[in-house]
Amino acid sequence: METSWRAPWLWRALLWVSRPLAAVVCRLRVSGEVPQALRGGPLILAANHVSPVDPVVLAAACQVLGLVPRIMATGGIFRAPVVGAVMRACGHIRVDRRTAQVAQALPDAVAALAAGSTVLVYPEGRIGLDPWMWPERGKTGVARMAAMSGAVVVPVAQWGAHAVLPYTSPKGLVGSVLRAVVRRPVVWVRFGEPVDLSGLSGSAGAQAMRATDRIMEGITVTLAPLRSGEPRVPRFVDPTRPVEVSRVRRRWDRSG
């Protein structure tokens, strides 16, 4: 197991590039902070997932704050030519969903946290399909990572990236990018307050479920100020994005 982790130069260079790259397709607005005391890790950044462009947006936001996260990403990316090799070289963490190897992601993430890393993860496990684009019910993996490593969980909310790249990307990628370059929609990223995961009761499974609910609520609370003028239906609706109600969380107060 690793005892310490230093971000590879390649990943640091790509983080630096992500900021001007994001500026080409959007106007990035970053708010909130991660306390200095938490930056040495272990730290989990738990973010909502709204668009295929999210990794670029969040990388740029982390670069603004001086954070160097290791990203948990689907195994398909690691199998892609060139990109997969880059992901491995940068020290990111592979999640082989719907395969026998999916269980390996949890110990790999815990090992990364034990090495003092910051790990960026999407607790929903997919681009959210909530009809109103609020965070869905999350998977328990983040809660288990936190319990096994003692890592602090900081919620990260993002909004507006769905106006940059639609759900169906890379289909129609060139046209979507050209439209984003012309419009340059505003994309917000907000780092919230650490989630309080103390005082949980019950079995390990019950604690993981309760912790997951707190984490998703933390993301929701962090997101609310970013979309205060559009609490019901988003102003921009991605027509390619399907909706699904099976994982909708409790109804957010959309009266305002």
Side-chain angles (χ1 to χ4, degrees):
M1 181 181 292
E2 299 170 278
T3 56
S4 62
W5 186 75
R6 292 179 61 85
W9 67 267
L10 176 60
W11 179 222
R12 290 186 177 275
L14 290 174
L15 278 171
W16 184 86
V17 169
S18 68
R19 196 167 171 184
L21 180 61
V24 172
V25 295
C26 71
R27 290 165 285 166
L28 182 63
R29 305 287 185 264
V30 181
S31 60
E33 187 53 87
V34 174
Q36 193 63 40
L38 301 181
R39 289 171 175 255
L43 176 64
I44 300 171
L45 301 177
N48 62 321
H49 202 355
V50 298
S51 166
V53 80
D54 290 348
V56 175
V57 168
L58 287 175
C62 285
Q63 203 278 332
V64 170
L65 264 62
L67 299 170
V68 186
R70 300 171 74 169
I71 301 173
M72 296 192 74
T74 181
I77 297 176
F78 286 82
R79 291 189 292 272
V82 182
V83 174
V86 170
M87 293 291 286
R88 289 188 292 272
C90 290
H92 298 311
I93 302 166
R94 180 170 179 159
V95 183
D96 283 299
R97 298 188 181 93
R98 293 182 290 277
T99 72
Q101 290 75 42
V102 67
Q104 186 58 41
L106 181 58
D108 286 349
V110 172
L113 292 164
S117 299
T118 294
V119 173
L120 171 62
V121 60
Y122 302 105
E124 294 162 292
R126 66 178 185 181
I127 294 175
L129 301 181
D130 177 279
W132 304 276
M133 293 192 68
W134 289 99
E136 299 179 321
R137 289 200 307 272
K139 304 288 188 178
T140 60
V142 176
R144 295 178 191 276
M145 287 162 51
M148 294 171 68
S149 66
V152 174
V153 179
V154 169
V156 183
Q158 56 177 330
W159 188 243
H162 57 295
V164 177
L165 283 187
Y167 179 87
T168 52
S169 297
K171 181 180 178 181
L173 180 64
V174 174
S176 297
V177 170
L178 290 177
R179 285 189 291 273
V181 169
V182 172
R183 297 196 316 263
R184 292 189 68 238
V186 176
V187 174
W188 293 269
V189 177
R190 184 169 183 249
F191 293 80
E193 296 294 324
V195 180
D196 180 5
L197 297 179
S198 64
L200 297 169
S201 60
S203 65
Q207 289 184 40
M209 292 177 66
R210 293 186 177 108
T212 300
D213 190 57
R214 290 190 189 182
I215 291 166
M216 299 313 299
E217 182 66 12
I219 297 173
T220 300
V221 169
T222 305
L223 174 62
L226 303 183
R227 52 178 298 183
S228 59
E230 46 185 320
R232 295 175 183 269
V233 178
R235 291 194 188 96
F236 179 86
V237 176
D238 175 6
T240 74
R241 177 179 165 275
V243 297
E244 183 182 314
V245 298
S246 64
R247 287 170 56 184
V248 170
R249 295 179 66 248
R250 66 175 178 80
R251 296 264 179 167
W252 181 263
D253 179 13
R254 301 182 178 89
S255 60

